[in-house]
Amino acid sequence: MTEGTTSTAAAEAGSDTLTRLEQEGEIAADYLEGLLDIADLDGDIDMDVEADRAAVSIISESPRDLQKLVGRDGEVLEALQELTRLAVHRETGDRSRLMLDIGGFRAKKRAVLAELSAKAANEVKNTGEPVKLDPMTPFERKVVHDAIAAAGLRSESEGEEPQRFVVVLPA
């Protein structure tokens, strides 16, 4: 293959992935719109592709209404995400890594976790000792692992669900 052919093939593969992720978002949006209708809740669906995964958000002018779909500490949101992933899987036959956010809950959580990660990274850099964080969901651990790697340190997950936690380690 020539260099031009290789880059064309890579562009087509990237385009196919984007199309597949957009399709996942469309399927998820249809599923979630049906759910909102059944629950008699108002909300708009926003779709995007972030970090090689479909990202779907339910937003509303009155986020308080959506709190029922988030639940305590995001428990209902996690369950709805899994149900939405199953709906996508049923339609496509492929496992989905779709990320669901409702009322900006995950976006706010990312900001809090970024701050927590920065504090833990600073402590590890100052003391040279590992820092164990409280148990977290898989989403939360992923956010922390990414933040710790960006800070130039290492991290590992330890323990068993639901008590699995992140340990921040010196580089």
Side-chain angles (χ1 to χ4, degrees):
M1 260 191 217
T2 65
E3 189 174 314
T5 307
T6 303
S7 63
T8 302
E12 287 175 5
S15 177
D16 289 347
T17 299
L18 184 61
T19 301
R20 182 180 52 78
L21 294 175
E22 288 170 343
Q23 178 190 18
E24 284 186 16
E26 292 287 338
I27 295 166
D30 290 345
Y31 176 79
L32 292 166
E33 283 174 0
L35 180 75
L36 289 172
D37 287 344
I38 291 168
D40 196 29
L41 294 171
D42 289 327
D44 294 320
I45 309 290
D46 184 38
M47 295 178 296
D48 201 359
V49 174
E50 299 173 2
D52 293 332
R53 66 171 61 189
V56 179
S57 300
I58 301 175
I59 52 178
S60 174
E61 290 182 18
S62 53
R64 199 157 181 226
D65 293 344
L66 297 179
Q67 186 57 40
K68 296 172 193 165
L69 297 178
V70 173
R72 191 181 82 236
D73 295 327
E75 290 173 341
V76 176
L77 170 59
E78 291 288 336
L80 287 174
Q81 177 174 277
E82 288 307 311
L83 289 172
T84 305
R85 286 176 174 176
L86 286 171
V88 170
H89 177 73
R90 185 184 68 227
E91 292 288 324
T92 65
D94 295 325
R95 184 177 173 274
S96 173
R97 294 178 49 234
L98 176 131
M99 184 63 66
L100 175 63
D101 193 5
I102 299 174
F105 177 82
R106 286 197 195 272
K108 290 175 197 143
K109 193 72 162 175
R110 272 191 183 99
V112 169
L113 291 169
E115 189 175 318
L116 174 70
S117 299
K119 286 180 183 175
N122 285 335
E123 185 176 337
V124 170
K125 286 177 181 177
N126 290 336
T127 66
E129 296 295 319
V131 171
K132 292 182 181 180
L133 302 177
D134 291 335
M136 298 178 183
T137 66
F139 160 76
E140 294 167 335
R141 291 193 309 269
K142 170 78 169 108
V143 171
V144 171
H145 286 305
D146 290 348
I148 295 301
L153 297 175
R154 297 180 306 119
S155 60
E156 297 176 351
S157 290
E158 294 184 4
E160 299 292 324
E161 294 292 353
Q163 296 301 311
R164 199 152 167 81
F165 60 94
V166 174
V167 179
V168 182
L169 304 161

